[in-house]
Amino acid sequence: MSRKFPIDRLRNIGIMAHIDAGKTTVSERILYYTGRLHRMGEVHDGRAVMDWMDQEQERGITITSAATATVWRDHMINLIDTPGHVDFTVEVERSLRVLDGAIALFCAVGGVEPQSENVWRQAVKYSVPRIAFVNKMDRLGADYFGVVGSIQEQLGANAVPVVIPIGSEDGFRGIVDLVQGCAVYYDRSDSGMTWYEEPVPEEMEEEAERWRRNLVEKVSEVDERLFAKYCEGEEIEKEELIAALRKATHSHRVCPVLCGSAYRNMGVQRLLDAVINYLPSPLDLPPIIGSCPEGNPIERVPRDDGRLAALAFKVVTDRHVGKLVYVRVYSGTLEEGSYVYNSSENTMQRAGRLLRMHADKREAIDAMYTGEIGAVTGLSGTSTGDTICCREHPIILEAIEFPAPVLSVAVRQDRKGDRDRLPRALVKLSQEDPTFTVSTDSETSETIISGMGELHLEIILERLRREFDVQVTTSPPRVAYRETMTSSVDVDERLAKQTGGKGQYAHVMMTLEPMSPGHGFEFRNRVRGGNIPREFIPAVEKGVVRAMAAGVLAGFPVVDVRVTLNDGSFHEVDSSEMAFRRCAESAFRKGFMKGKPQLLEPLMTVSVTTPEEYAGNVTGSIYEKRGGITSMGRQGSAQVIRALIPLSGLFGYATELRNMSQGRASFSIHFDHYEAVPYSIAEKVLEELRRG
């Protein structure tokens, strides 16, 4: 076995952008111009190859990252098209973790949009070199140089145009290639398959020369030899310029910018050239760093004959082949049918079939070589973020960090037959998506599913119905309230029943009194003289605990109460543990309702990070939710607001925060303490519970 393309002719790239910037359209053109497709699909008619899920075709958006492989200029390109909606940011996160380069796509009208900032930060986090492509140059309001300025100002990137547009909006006719020194025009009559180069139009010569000087100046700053030639006024050859641009891109000191209109089939071929010329192969990047089982750092050099090290970055349940594990091989060779070691789980597994993916289509291969990306069957015990290696030389690669879910709903099956199928389906979906979690509320017995937003959970519910044939009903999760009392009460309760045979008798005298918040429950025994036999005392405590667990006021657990058993009596024949347990439970319920009961609600500590211009909206929304601000500070250029807010006001807050900040604010949340619900609110809550 031998690889078809040398490792230096391999490019692992992703396309990342804000929603509706044209990622999938660009992907379709790339596949068409490289001969991978013979007919271009369109997002708007639901025929885009990379949007293969039913929901993607119906909604016209990308939901899951789709991988494919194609060839351009005798180079193999592994391409991943990522979603642009913030709810599916996990797909961008795990894709960037294994990619060597990325195309940052920007709309010529919208420029740097909220999700553009998020995916750019993710690329910075994983140190992924980027080139930029300004799409939709034919749109009304297109402003190429305005977008370049936004990339520089808002993202802090050294964005350097390597092409400039010829015209814009309806007058967009082609581009001037500043590296090659020519104008490029596209023949619309054959879907842009034919393009021709001409001298730079006379009216653009001065502008083109100015931008070429800008390009040479920027690149000269990172290449001493080129800088010397530039200072001496020598002619710089295009091969020298390409090499210097490549070096500057790999070191993140320059971000080359191109433009075009993917929908009008203009500019994509030059983008493919830029991928080959400027983005790195696996050999251009530092060796991957991991750790041995003892924790010491070790590295793997990208070599086919090296020790195997691969990262599982995605898990998919395929209806035809079962569980598919997507992996990136960093060193060594993964062969079909070989036994591999999952160092993250300390288990040996057998790799089944190896597949090169083309969206939802599969091509069987014999081996995956260093730098390659593909899917593996048979790795049933492997999850996202696990490391695959050889047992003799184990390595654990850095796992992928995922954001915590921010929105939850309660689900229940509609049909009795789905009782067992629902949990199985939810487990499979949670294995695929680390930002989708499933839990059971021990207090309300509800099944709670959590995700990154309303659209994320909506897609999950659709998949339950379509792929698993499980019909579910959703509702907002209930707030886990608590109950307590505010004044002390003495209770004298007697249970005496005769049923013809042995009767039931118990008599307890106890004091119920409130405790300070957070103290929980305390039981004291003050009985003297054997009025209640010692063996019945635990039964009294059990009865009280049982009454507290079920609640008295509204069925919620009772907290922060001390119960003191003062006295009582028993019957030689009719008394029993059960009788004292039932008597104590009844005594507590009666006494609790006399002790001025109160409903408590959970207060959450919420930390919101927002751009300065939205801080006023955020603070206003906090007060509307009966919250109080505890501190305000700064994190870089952003404002950090910390507050205590009742949980009942936080359902749907993720969506609300996105809307008020154009998707640029984020928040974290955790439980702080319980606090009394204001009387007017408590009345409404109790009324709703009675109706429910």
Side-chain angles (χ1 to χ4, degrees):
M1 293 182 296
S2 62
R3 62 189 306 152
K4 187 175 180 180
F5 294 90
I7 192 170
D8 63 335
R9 290 182 175 268
L10 180 63
R11 301 289 185 272
N12 294 315
I13 66 166
I15 303 180
M16 60 183 199
H18 187 85
I19 191 170
D20 203 32
K23 295 180 304 303
T24 302
T25 302
V26 170
S27 299
E28 295 291 315
R29 271 35 177 198
I30 287 175
L31 296 179
Y32 180 68
Y33 295 135
T34 56
R36 195 69 173 81
L37 293 181
H38 300 293
R39 177 189 176 280
M40 283 182 287
E42 302 294 355
V43 174
H44 62 266
D45 61 14
R47 295 182 180 179
V49 172
M50 300 297 276
D51 283 348
W52 56 270
M53 291 178 64
D54 292 342
Q55 294 94 329
E56 292 178 316
Q57 294 170 358
E58 292 168 5
R59 296 170 183 268
I61 62 170
T62 301
I63 293 170
T64 182
S65 56
T68 189
T70 191
V71 178
W72 181 256
R73 282 174 38 193
D74 201 28
H75 285 67
M76 184 178 197
I77 299 175
N78 287 314
L79 172 68
I80 297 182
D81 176 27
T82 63
H85 196 286
V86 66
D87 281 14
F88 308 107
T89 187
V90 60
E91 296 290 341
V92 184
E93 187 84 21
R94 58 183 169 191
S95 297
L96 287 173
R97 172 66 174 81
V98 298
L99 293 174
D100 301 325
I103 300 171
L105 206 64
F106 300 92
C107 173
V109 180
V112 177
E113 298 174 276
Q115 186 64 358
S116 307
E117 296 182 46
N118 293 335
V119 296
W120 190 273
R121 284 196 296 266
Q122 288 172 301
V124 170
K125 172 182 175 182
Y126 291 111
S127 194
V128 177
R130 282 137 279 159
I131 59 177
F133 184 73
V134 180
N135 192 27
K136 302 188 179 184
M137 283 299 301
D138 59 319
R139 286 269 305 274
L140 184 67
D143 183 0
Y144 175 66
F145 297 108
V147 176
V148 172
S150 296
I151 296 172
Q152 294 169 339
E153 294 169 15
Q154 293 180 240
L155 303 180
N158 189 13
V160 179
V162 294
V163 306
I164 60 173
I166 302 175
S168 64
E169 301 179 346
D170 288 340
F172 179 61
R173 296 179 291 129
I175 59 174
V176 173
D177 189 324
L178 301 174
V179 177
Q180 301 291 338
C182 64
V184 185
Y185 299 94
Y186 298 86
D187 188 347
R188 292 193 183 186
S189 64
D190 66 349
S191 300
M193 286 296 287
T194 304
W195 71 92
Y196 52 94
E197 298 178 358
E198 290 188 355
V200 177
E202 187 176 340
E203 67 274 12
M204 291 190 66
E205 286 180 354
E206 185 178 336
E207 183 183 19
E209 180 58 32
R210 178 164 53 86
W211 282 107
R212 179 177 166 80
R213 282 199 307 271
N214 174 74
L215 170 61
V216 173
E217 287 174 6
K218 295 289 187 182
V219 176
S220 297
E221 293 173 4
V222 297
D223 190 302
E224 292 183 7
R225 191 167 59 85
L226 206 66
F227 182 71
K229 291 187 70 172
Y230 175 70
C231 291
E232 294 171 8
E234 296 182 30
E235 182 65 27
I236 295 175
E237 300 296 330
K238 60 185 179 183
E239 290 77 14
E240 293 179 292
L241 193 53
I242 290 173
L245 260 173
R246 180 178 180 82
K247 178 182 175 182
T249 304
H250 294 183
S251 61
H252 307 281
R253 300 179 72 176
V254 162
C255 176
V257 186
L258 300 94
C259 69
S261 169
Y263 184 65
R264 300 295 179 191
N265 311 303
M266 302 170 72
V268 177
Q269 292 93 335
R270 240 48 181 194
L271 176 63
L272 280 164
D273 289 341
V275 167
I276 303 303
N277 291 338
Y278 308 133
L279 291 181
S281 75
L283 287 178
D284 295 315
L285 299 174
I288 189 72
I289 304 294
S291 61
C292 61
E294 294 76 28
N296 299 321
I298 50 176
E299 67 177 30
R300 290 284 187 267
V301 177
R303 284 172 26 199
D304 291 342
D305 59 353
R307 296 166 178 171
L308 178 64
L311 182 71
F313 67 95
K314 182 174 180 177
V315 175
V316 173
T317 302
D318 188 282
R319 66 185 72 181
H320 302 295
V321 298
K323 183 177 180 178
L324 279 177
V325 178
Y326 284 71
V327 300
R328 156 73 190 263
V329 180
Y330 285 97
S331 71
T333 301
L334 177 60
E335 298 180 1
E336 180 182 18
S338 62
Y339 283 90
V340 295
Y341 178 57
N342 184 329
S343 56
S344 304
E345 298 295 330
N346 191 25
T347 59
M348 290 295 294
Q349 299 177 33
R350 184 176 182 272
R353 297 172 62 199
L354 305 183
L355 305 168
R356 181 169 290 129
M357 301 301 295
H358 180 50
D360 62 333
K361 306 295 190 300
R362 299 169 296 277
E363 173 191 344
I365 54 178
D366 296 326
M368 288 174 56
Y369 299 96
T370 296
E372 293 189 343
I373 293 174
V376 188
T377 65
L379 302 180
S380 57
T382 298
S383 304
T384 300
D386 287 356
T387 300
I388 302 299
C389 58
C390 52
R391 185 67 180 261
E392 297 75 19
H393 305 284
I395 184 174
I396 302 175
L397 301 178
E398 183 183 357
I400 308 172
E401 293 182 10
F402 298 109
V406 298
L407 188 68
S408 303
V409 296
V411 296
R412 65 178 183 276
Q413 65 276 0
D414 290 343
R415 303 176 302 208
K416 290 184 178 179
D418 291 342
R419 180 169 298 176
D420 295 329
R421 296 166 65 188
L422 176 60
R424 288 198 297 267
L426 291 176
V427 167
K428 288 183 178 179
L429 290 172
S430 63
Q431 288 175 342
E432 289 187 18
D433 187 348
T435 60
F436 170 66
T437 61
V438 184
S439 60
T440 301
D441 192 314
S442 59
E443 297 174 10
T444 63
S445 299
E446 293 177 315
T447 298
I448 307 295
I449 61 173
S450 304
M452 298 305 297
E454 292 178 354
L455 181 59
H456 185 198
L457 293 182
E458 189 178 325
I459 296 297
I460 291 289
L461 295 171
E462 281 189 23
R463 292 188 64 189
L464 280 174
R465 300 181 185 107
R466 295 186 184 193
E467 298 177 28
F468 301 95
D469 191 29
V470 176
Q471 301 297 322
V472 295
T473 300
T474 64
S475 60
R478 288 185 290 170
V479 176
Y481 290 101
R482 295 288 188 271
E483 301 175 15
T484 192
M485 55 192 304
T486 57
S487 64
S488 300
V489 176
D490 291 322
V491 187
D492 188 335
E493 180 71 7
R494 192 184 304 268
L495 172 68
K497 288 190 176 181
Q498 289 296 132
T499 57
K502 181 182 177 182
Q504 293 187 55
Y505 180 87
H507 174 212
V508 297
M509 300 170 65
M510 59 176 64
T511 300
L512 281 57
E513 53 188 321
M515 299 176 68
S516 55
H519 276 68
F521 166 65
E522 182 180 334
F523 180 81
R524 293 179 176 178
N525 175 28
R526 295 281 177 83
V527 177
R528 298 289 182 267
N531 290 342
I532 300 178
R534 187 182 301 275
E535 62 267 26
F536 293 150
I537 302 299
V540 174
E541 184 175 358
K542 287 179 181 177
V544 171
V545 169
R546 182 174 178 179
M548 292 178 64
V552 183
L553 183 63
F556 296 104
V558 175
V559 295
D560 302 331
V561 173
R562 177 188 292 124
V563 175
T564 304
L565 180 60
N566 299 312
D567 204 353
S569 62
F570 75 105
H571 188 276
E572 292 281 356
V573 177
D574 293 344
S575 289
S576 64
E577 286 189 10
M578 180 180 291
F580 271 96
R581 189 167 64 244
R582 290 177 61 188
C583 182
E585 185 175 348
S586 177
F588 182 87
R589 289 183 172 277
K590 291 179 180 178
F592 183 84
M593 292 305 293
K594 295 177 181 178
K596 297 181 181 179
Q598 192 175 54
L599 199 63
L600 304 177
E601 63 183 348
L603 257 64
M604 317 301 288
T605 295
V606 180
S607 179
V608 182
T609 304
T610 176
E612 186 75 42
E613 59 263 39
Y614 305 112
N617 294 340
V618 171
T619 55
S621 71
I622 289 172
Y623 291 128
E624 288 176 2
K625 299 178 186 306
R626 297 189 288 119
I629 294 174
T630 57
S631 69
M632 297 181 73
R634 302 198 67 82
Q635 182 177 305
S637 60
Q639 186 88 24
V640 179
I641 303 170
R642 292 180 176 84
L644 284 173
I645 306 176
L647 177 61
S648 59
L650 290 172
F651 296 133
Y653 186 58
T655 303
E656 182 183 338
L657 186 62
R658 286 176 192 165
N659 291 338
M660 75 173 71
S661 66
Q662 297 184 9
R664 297 173 62 190
S666 61
F667 79 106
S668 62
I669 176 175
H670 65 267
F671 171 75
D672 192 275
H673 69 280
Y674 276 90
E675 195 170 280
V677 180
Y679 179 78
S680 58
I681 304 295
E683 287 296 304
K684 293 178 182 178
V685 171
L686 294 173
E687 181 61 32
E688 289 175 3
L689 290 170
R690 293 187 194 103
R691 289 201 304 265

